[in-house]
Amino acid sequence: MREPESEQSQQSTAEDRHASWLELFFDLIVVAGTAQLAHLLHGRPSLPDVGLFILLFLAFWMIWMCFTVYGNVIGDRARTWTMLLGMLGMAVLAASVAGVHEGEHQQAFAITYVLLRLVARRAWRRSGKMLEEWPIGQFTAGVTPWLVSIWVDGPARYWLWAAGLAIDLWTTLSASARKRQADAEARRNERTGHSPTLTLAQVDPVHLGERLGLFTLIVLGESVVQLVDVASEAGWDHALEFSGLAAFLLLVSLWQLSLVHGYGGVPNLRESALPPRLVLFLHWVTNGTLTALAAGLGAAMEHRHGQLPTGGRWVLCASLSVYFVLAVVAALVPRRTAQTPGEWGRLLGRLLPPLVLSLAIGLFGGGLPTPVVVWSLVAAAGWSLLGHLARPERTGLPNDA
């Protein structure tokens, strides 16, 4: 493991290490991917539709993360063609989403996923580094079910994909990831007779936070695209203006909570408050909910003169509810100092009402006009934001420095 850097060195790294032009170009694929994934929830989505969205979003995000942490650790030595191959493959994944219910598109998605994981693995091995916080970059046990699924038809293919992703999540979140990496390296050395050549690497938290935040900005941008698409084809009346303003204010609030008062796109999270692997997990859930929210806002704009269909209302309210759950978790989990009951009460008073309100609208808001639903969610997000605006120097927890 690397020796701890001096405070001056860390400060220099934080000031100098930013996303490169190659990384920014690579991130453009997120624009296409989130747009295609959000379309899975258009219309009247059912539970199987939501399940398929979660599955495909996780797969897409997993590939993006394999190449993102590679660039984070390797820096300027990252191979351009490796990143461009990843980008091309992710474009194929995005193009496969629209017809993913068809066998040909399913096979294309599975084959491309397997190939991209192998490309990422080869890149990591060539680098001579191991990343404890993202072991699936080096180890591909979770790829095996995907490989088998290429020759399987029907719903079993989706279950194999889910099994592969579950293996990868367990590998990432398991506390024994370091031991498994050491054991695998030891077995490789026994077979070859060579001395260990891999070194344990660490992520650059400042650079990683920037890349994760850029992903979140792109996802929020998909919501803006949804709103503009509807407005460009609709008659401009008071209902459009009223609903569009509400949706815009909701996105502004989420931008503030995720990026101004959060870290890596996760609301209420502070840098270094959690291990990187947990930050990455929260980032996946956060951006999955924001992508679903984009689809929900698009549906709200389309039904602005009446009531949201049940499926559309639940996509909108459930995604925002999960977002508020994450905001609560990110604020409560990394506590470092004892809090008085009054401080806990003030914190929960800022975090829980938005969650309760968004859940209540999802459960009991079937008879509400669409603009009322959206403005209620604006009020929920605004309530969560008020505490930060009142005391902008304090984020995450009471008594934080």
Side-chain angles (χ1 to χ4, degrees):
M1 186 180 293
R2 295 186 309 189
E3 293 296 328
E5 298 178 344
S6 67
E7 183 177 346
Q8 183 177 0
S9 175
Q10 291 177 345
Q11 183 177 0
S12 176
T13 301
E15 292 174 352
D16 298 336
R17 180 76 168 101
H18 294 288
S20 67
W21 288 116
L22 174 61
E23 290 172 318
L24 293 174
F25 183 57
F26 176 83
D27 286 347
L28 289 178
I29 195 59
V30 178
V31 177
T34 54
Q36 293 299 315
L37 290 163
H39 276 81
L40 292 174
L41 299 177
H42 280 193
R44 300 174 183 270
S46 61
L47 282 178
D49 293 329
V50 174
L52 182 61
F53 165 79
I54 295 173
L55 187 67
L56 297 185
F57 184 89
L58 177 56
F60 185 85
W61 177 89
M62 196 84 73
I63 294 295
W64 180 82
M65 191 57 66
C66 283
F67 289 92
T68 294
V69 295
Y70 167 73
N72 176 273
V73 171
I74 306 305
D76 294 337
R77 293 182 293 108
R79 292 175 176 256
T80 299
W81 281 109
T82 296
M83 300 293 290
L84 294 180
L85 278 175
M87 186 178 182
L88 176 61
M90 291 183 69
V92 176
L93 293 181
S96 303
V97 169
V100 76
H101 296 287
E102 304 170 4
E104 182 180 7
H105 285 249
Q106 292 174 358
Q107 279 191 326
F109 195 95
I111 292 172
T112 305
Y113 181 89
V114 171
L115 291 176
L116 288 176
R117 288 292 300 274
L118 295 178
V119 168
R121 180 188 182 185
R122 179 175 175 80
W124 276 107
R125 288 197 169 187
R126 188 188 299 116
S127 73
K129 295 181 180 294
M130 294 187 299
L131 185 62
E132 179 187 3
E133 298 295 345
W134 190 252
I136 68 169
Q138 296 90 3
F139 297 92
T140 53
V143 175
T144 302
W146 285 83
L147 188 61
V148 174
S149 76
I150 297 172
W151 295 276
V152 174
D153 294 323
R157 177 173 279 159
Y158 295 140
W159 287 109
L160 285 169
W161 292 359
L165 294 172
I167 292 171
D168 285 333
L169 284 178
W170 180 84
T171 301
T172 301
L173 298 176
S174 170
S176 61
R178 180 195 293 258
K179 182 178 184 299
R180 287 197 305 275
Q181 291 181 359
D183 291 344
E185 178 65 12
R187 289 194 299 270
R188 188 180 73 85
N189 293 326
E190 289 175 2
R191 291 195 302 268
T192 63
H194 296 160
S195 59
T197 58
L198 298 181
T199 59
L200 191 63
Q202 297 174 339
V203 297
D204 179 341
V206 176
H207 176 264
L208 182 64
E210 180 182 281
R211 294 295 305 283
L212 298 180
L214 288 171
F215 189 106
T216 302
L217 274 178
I218 293 172
V219 172
L220 290 174
E222 174 57 24
S223 293
V224 176
V225 171
Q226 296 276 344
L227 301 178
V228 172
D229 281 347
V230 174
S232 65
E233 299 176 356
W236 289 18
D237 53 17
H238 291 306
L240 179 70
E241 297 164 358
F242 197 61
S243 300
L245 177 61
F248 176 74
L249 292 177
L250 179 59
L251 293 177
V252 170
S253 299
L254 297 178
W255 161 70
Q256 284 268 340
L257 290 169
S258 292
L259 298 169
V260 179
H261 303 293
Y263 167 74
V266 181
N268 291 333
L269 186 64
R270 302 188 64 179
E271 182 184 328
S272 303
L274 291 174
R277 70 181 67 186
L278 296 182
V279 174
L280 297 182
F281 176 78
L282 293 178
H283 181 266
W284 160 58
V285 181
T286 300
N287 286 276
T289 61
L290 291 177
T291 303
L293 182 78
L297 286 177
M301 289 292 288
E302 292 174 354
H303 295 86
R304 61 192 176 279
H305 292 109
Q307 298 172 349
L308 266 172
T310 301
R313 188 183 78 254
W314 264 113
V315 166
L316 186 61
C317 296
S319 59
L320 199 59
S321 298
V322 173
Y323 180 88
F324 289 137
V325 168
L326 292 171
V328 172
V329 170
L332 296 181
V333 170
R335 57 184 181 272
R336 296 179 295 276
T337 57
Q339 309 298 326
T340 67
E343 289 170 333
W344 282 119
R346 285 191 295 272
L347 178 64
L348 295 177
R350 175 165 59 85
L351 297 175
L352 292 184
L355 173 61
V356 172
L357 179 57
S358 56
L359 283 175
I361 296 171
L363 288 170
F364 310 112
L368 295 175
T370 297
V372 174
V373 170
V374 181
W375 276 101
S376 298
L377 298 181
V378 172
W383 181 273
S384 183
L385 186 60
L386 277 177
H388 291 300
L389 297 180
R391 294 186 292 179
E393 77 282 0
R394 298 159 71 92
T395 60
L397 285 172
N399 292 339
D400 282 339

